[in-house]
Amino acid sequence: MKLTRITVRNLLSFAEQELEFDRGLVVIVGRNGAGKSNLVRLLALAGLALEWLEERSSGMSRPGQVPQTQAALASYAAARHRRVSDDARLRLEVGIEVNRAELEDVACFVRAAIVSSILLHHHSGHEAEAIAAWAEEQITSESLSALASGALVMEHQGSPDAPWTMSYEFTHGGSRFAWQLATRGGGQVIRPVSDETVSSLVGAYEPILNALIGSANVPSPNDSPRLPPFRLGLLCRKAGTPVEAPLVQSSGAAFNPDLLPHRRFAELAGIPVWTMPASRSYSLAWVLRLVFGRGLVMLGEQLRGVATMAAPLREVGRFGVSELSSPSPNFEPYALPLRLLRLKNGDMVQRERFRRIQEVFSKLAPGRGVDLSFAVQPQPIPGQEGEVADPNGAEVAITVLIRHRDLAAGLDWEMPVQLCGAGTWEALVVAEAITDADKRAVILDEPAASLHPGWQQLLRSQIRERAGNGQFVLITHSPYLVPMETEDDLYRLVRAASRDGATRFARVRRPLDNALTVMRDYSMSADARALLFASGAVLLEGDTELGALPLWFAKSRAARELGDPESLHLGFYNVGGDTHFKAPLVLLVALGIPWAIVCGGWLFDPHFRGNHIFRQVAAAGAGATDLQSFIETYIDDLAMAPAVTFEQAVSEGAKHGIFTLAKGWTRDDRKNGVVGDESFEHFVEDILPGELAKAEAAVGRNKSLRKGRWLAENNPCPEEIDQLYRQLVAALATAGMSTGS
């Protein structure tokens, strides 16, 4: 299974937003509170809804009891976006695309369901065989190909006691269809005329047989129906008129294990057909839950010891005896030891998967290996020491053992994972999730919170290696996990930001101007990639500014009033020279990251034509109309250049987030005895005479970064820099920087 998109309205931190997913890898970045992890919660909501439908159809829900999943769904309904009214409609669409094997599971269900629906009215022996043969021949993966790509759609009307509605929407023959899932009795298939048509619960609908052969041709129960060639469009011919959704009945006249469609579905669903199976029905929701459960791997809050609404926290490694033979939750970290034990002691395919998990773990955690030990721990009856009340009351302890190898020291030892660092456990959990990622969508929300930078880079390599055949959605705060090896990596980036109280996404669109240079600049510096996580980015010209300005800003009066750079989540980056602003700025603009520039005065001189700072900004895609007009009037036309003063150029730059501390644009020309006034160093010498020489004496002449830090550490913040910080914060706020926590 692959995810194709998420569209959400009025839910959690989203007012109205859509995000499309690439087939290989999507990397979502942004600051805390931007709403990145809410994407995972939206996917969990879709899984919970399918789980709830399964509980209801299987009879797991009991009268008077509120199932855990139903309570979780109610909590989501209450988690509406804070800026919408209590009666606003909530809507979530999760686009999916199933692979060939998953589509065959869907076809297996549809064949069995349509046969069941027909047999409810026509169930004599020879007719049943003919109907089954027709289903096997006509209802194929190819005839159901429209179902391979669609969207799970959930809606809530806003009233606290209202239920969620759920449907699977797809397109066939140019028409939009909605297969309702949350309607009691199995639901309907409808060709909607609007979203309201989908969410409404239609009381009357056309039986399946009527839809297949036409209402006028329906035979009596004693006559054999003449079934036409199957087309998916037959399930709903007229817009707004629903057709009965087919169901598989597990018992009674509508289910016959002698018929091939029913026997195959029984194998898929694990129905014990040769004993007395439980009476229940299976809808399309059951198959979608199967696909969703197998095809989607989500790791996030559980890694940080946070219980989710679907999975409360449990002690790792301790299980009841009955759990050894019952299905374990897919990819829940607490059940990892149990899953590994089953793989290690399973069939050949399972043992091979255990070996691959061991191999991936060793790549993520070099010098370490993993194995298991197993012990049964009887639970004594109170007051009767040494006796066991019930074998099923015993507990099983599965210990995950981490083997350490120090070849240099000649040491080799092992210890329980609980005695290792948190990063070792996290590496093992991630190793299981990304092993055999083919044909799955793997969602990793902050997977490297406990991994040091070296292991993070190893994880990045492992994800890249597997993204060719699988799908990964990586949500991260770590610059070491952001891939920047190829131009395609730029197009994998999505930035989440909170604007006007709602989460919004921005991403790099093809083609990106100067993409290879941009990629190279960011690939060479983790500091550059760290800008992707900042609320606002400040680009600087050199190391002296990088060492001095952030410290001076933090000491300024403006910081006490507006917040210091750390509390505002500002990122500072030295672009490496006066002509190098364009490349880093291109990516900031493409991702909608608020930015500002502090550069030398020379870059404002109209005679500095090709790499004039205004030209660099415009070439990065950030040139507003009036800035472009200034370029055309005073920079493109050399005859007009003398008409511009330094003050005019600086004033124009300040309108667009471009600032300088320089007093002019004159450069040093020692041969001709000209003393410049355009650099940051000249500014410092002018306001703090002799301090540069002291800084050089203290840290060294060529240590620009350390020299800048020395200046800021040993001198109060100058008034000019206090004013510059006020201007920067104002410009970033105007550009969309959030100043909240």
Side-chain angles (χ1 to χ4, degrees):
M1 187 192 84
K2 298 289 187 293
L3 296 171
T4 58
R5 65 180 172 88
I6 283 183
T7 305
V8 57
R9 186 189 307 156
N10 299 334
L11 187 59
L12 298 175
S13 61
F14 303 99
E16 188 163 0
Q17 195 65 212
E18 179 172 89
L19 177 63
E20 295 181 353
F21 295 103
D22 296 337
R23 289 172 110 30
L25 173 62
V26 174
V27 180
I28 301 176
V29 299
R31 54 169 288 191
N32 285 334
K36 303 184 301 299
S37 293
N38 279 342
L39 276 177
V40 183
R41 297 185 181 103
L42 293 177
L43 293 171
L45 171 58
L48 278 169
L50 292 171
E51 183 78 23
W52 170 64
L53 292 173
E54 171 69 3
E55 288 180 353
R56 192 176 67 175
S57 63
S58 64
M60 294 169 63
S61 300
R62 296 289 181 264
Q65 293 182 343
V66 179
Q68 183 178 329
T69 51
Q70 188 174 342
L73 287 174
S75 68
Y76 271 101
R80 64 187 57 252
H81 188 261
R82 56 185 173 270
R83 293 198 174 184
V84 302
S85 62
D86 290 343
D87 59 352
R89 188 171 63 167
L90 315 181
R91 184 176 174 91
L92 170 65
E93 301 179 27
V94 178
I96 64 172
E97 184 179 289
V98 302
N99 58 44
R100 185 182 299 273
E102 292 163 340
L103 182 58
E104 180 51 41
D105 288 342
V106 174
C108 178
F109 158 76
V110 174
R111 281 193 293 268
I114 288 182
V115 169
S116 280
S117 298
I118 296 175
L119 289 184
L120 279 174
H121 304 287
H122 300 271
H123 49 76
S124 64
H126 69 281
E127 291 172 349
E129 291 288 349
I131 292 168
W134 169 84
E136 286 292 325
E137 177 185 352
Q138 293 289 326
I139 306 175
T140 63
S141 297
E142 289 72 21
S143 67
L144 298 174
S145 59
L147 295 177
S149 180
L152 289 166
V153 179
M154 298 183 61
E155 287 191 326
H156 192 277
Q157 297 302 322
S159 175
D161 58 348
W164 284 91
T165 64
M166 191 173 194
S167 61
Y168 182 67
E169 295 192 7
F170 58 97
T171 301
H172 175 67
S175 297
R176 176 171 158 233
F177 287 79
W179 191 315
Q180 291 184 334
L181 304 173
T183 312
R184 286 197 179 275
Q188 304 99 31
V189 182
I190 190 169
R191 182 183 296 181
V193 294
S194 67
D195 288 346
E196 285 72 18
T197 307
V198 177
S199 60
S200 63
L201 303 180
V202 182
Y205 52 82
E206 188 174 13
I208 290 176
L209 188 58
N210 296 36
L212 292 176
I213 65 178
S215 300
N217 300 318
V218 176
S220 66
N222 295 322
D223 296 327
S224 176
R226 295 185 178 180
L227 297 169
F230 176 79
R231 291 184 295 109
L232 189 58
L234 292 174
L235 293 184
C236 195
R237 293 174 173 173
K238 184 179 179 182
T241 302
V243 173
E244 170 194 14
L247 297 171
V248 177
Q249 307 291 344
S250 66
S251 62
F255 188 81
N256 184 351
D258 289 328
L259 302 178
L260 186 57
H262 286 168
R263 191 161 62 249
R264 285 180 171 169
F265 182 78
E267 293 174 359
L268 178 65
I271 300 173
V273 296
W274 305 120
T275 60
M276 183 63 72
S279 179
R280 62 160 294 183
S281 60
Y282 296 82
S283 70
L284 181 66
W286 181 89
V287 181
L288 292 175
R289 177 176 176 261
L290 180 71
V291 169
F292 216 71
R294 290 177 177 175
L296 183 64
V297 180
M298 292 192 292
L299 287 182
E301 292 166 325
Q302 319 98 311
L303 288 172
R304 287 169 290 286
V306 179
T308 65
M309 286 180 285
L313 287 177
R314 281 188 47 176
E315 182 180 359
V316 172
R318 301 182 72 86
F319 306 93
V321 170
S322 61
E323 291 182 275
L324 292 178
S325 58
S326 60
S328 58
N330 285 339
F331 299 102
E332 283 294 341
Y334 84 85
L336 174 60
L338 182 57
R339 293 194 298 272
L340 291 179
L341 183 69
R342 288 174 174 170
L343 292 177
K344 181 179 179 180
N345 296 285
D347 58 27
M348 185 172 64
V349 173
Q350 292 172 315
R351 295 196 304 273
E352 173 59 21
R353 185 164 192 273
F354 178 72
R355 186 198 64 77
R356 286 197 298 270
I357 292 173
Q358 289 178 304
E359 181 181 341
V360 173
F361 171 73
S362 293
K363 290 179 178 179
L364 294 177
R368 292 161 177 81
V370 62
D371 212 327
L372 302 168
S373 68
F374 172 88
V376 177
Q377 297 180 338
Q379 298 300 302
I381 303 173
Q384 300 183 34
E385 186 174 353
E387 297 186 20
V388 178
D390 184 347
N392 289 327
E395 282 192 335
V396 175
I398 304 173
T399 304
V400 178
L401 297 171
I402 303 300
R403 183 178 182 183
H404 298 252
R405 300 179 182 89
D406 187 340
L407 298 179
L411 299 175
D412 193 350
W413 73 99
E414 66 181 16
M415 65 176 64
V417 70
Q418 289 91 336
L419 299 181
C420 300
T424 301
W425 169 251
E426 189 168 348
L428 180 58
V429 174
V430 172
E432 184 207 20
I434 69 175
T435 299
D436 298 334
D438 295 3
K439 303 178 183 178
R440 286 195 179 107
V442 181
I443 317 298
L444 300 175
D445 184 10
E446 292 298 334
S450 301
L451 305 184
H452 67 74
W455 285 18
Q456 291 181 32
Q457 293 178 71
L458 292 171
L459 174 58
R460 185 184 70 203
S461 298
Q462 289 296 308
I463 291 174
R464 173 182 288 282
E465 181 180 319
R466 288 161 171 77
N469 296 319
Q471 182 184 46
F472 286 85
V473 178
L474 174 63
I475 300 171
T476 183
H477 286 138
S478 170
Y480 298 102
L481 282 179
V482 177
M484 280 288 179
E485 282 79 21
T486 68
E487 179 181 344
D488 284 341
D489 289 332
L490 296 173
Y491 307 117
R492 307 182 200 277
L493 290 173
V494 176
R495 182 175 183 267
S498 181
R499 302 281 177 84
D500 301 323
T503 297
R504 299 184 183 180
F505 296 115
R507 70 184 310 168
V508 181
R509 300 295 181 183
R510 297 175 187 268
L512 185 69
D513 183 43
N514 212 28
L516 291 178
T517 302
V518 173
M519 180 271 297
R520 185 179 62 246
D521 277 20
Y522 278 87
S523 67
M524 295 173 64
S525 171
D527 290 337
R529 296 194 296 277
L531 296 178
L532 306 179
F533 308 92
S535 291
V538 181
L539 302 182
L540 306 172
E541 187 174 323
D543 270 343
T544 308
E545 296 96 307
L546 183 61
L549 289 180
L551 292 181
W552 261 330
F553 290 158
K555 295 165 65 174
S556 68
R557 291 195 309 273
R560 293 192 291 274
E561 299 171 15
L562 305 174
D564 61 28
E566 287 189 355
S567 65
L568 295 180
H569 309 285
L570 301 185
F572 295 86
Y573 178 62
N574 167 23
V575 301
D578 51 16
T579 63
H580 297 157
F581 283 95
K582 176 186 173 182
L585 188 57
V586 164
L587 191 56
L588 299 179
V589 172
L591 291 175
I593 300 174
W595 57 270
I597 288 172
V598 180
C599 62
W602 184 43
L603 284 175
F604 289 86
D605 187 347
H607 295 92
F608 188 47
R609 292 168 54 78
N611 287 307
H612 191 285
I613 188 59
F614 293 176
R615 281 191 185 279
Q616 292 189 59
V617 169
T625 302
D626 50 348
L627 183 66
Q628 190 62 44
S629 177
F630 188 97
I631 293 171
E632 293 171 357
T633 303
Y634 297 107
I635 300 175
D636 290 347
D637 188 351
L638 276 179
M640 293 296 295
V644 180
T645 67
F646 175 74
E647 290 74 19
Q648 288 174 325
V650 170
S651 177
E652 183 66 28
K655 298 176 186 176
H656 305 281
I658 308 165
F659 303 97
T660 187
L661 289 164
K663 304 298 184 181
W665 55 40
T666 303
R667 304 197 75 177
D668 280 334
D669 185 355
R670 296 183 181 180
K671 290 183 179 180
N672 296 308
V674 176
V675 178
D677 57 3
E678 63 84 29
S679 70
F680 178 72
E681 285 76 9
H682 284 115
F683 163 77
V684 172
E685 187 62 30
D686 184 53
I687 63 169
L688 297 171
E691 290 300 297
L692 273 174
K694 292 180 182 178
E696 290 178 358
V699 303
R701 187 180 186 87
N702 297 320
K703 306 293 185 180
S704 298
L705 184 64
R706 294 174 61 189
K707 182 168 60 177
R709 290 186 63 87
W710 189 95
L711 288 169
E713 289 169 349
N714 291 278
N715 292 278
C717 176
E719 180 63 28
E720 294 88 342
I721 290 179
D722 178 84
Q723 291 301 316
L724 173 62
Y725 187 57
R726 293 179 187 275
Q727 290 179 296
L728 287 174
V729 173
L732 292 169
T734 300
M737 180 184 74
S738 171
T739 57
S741 60

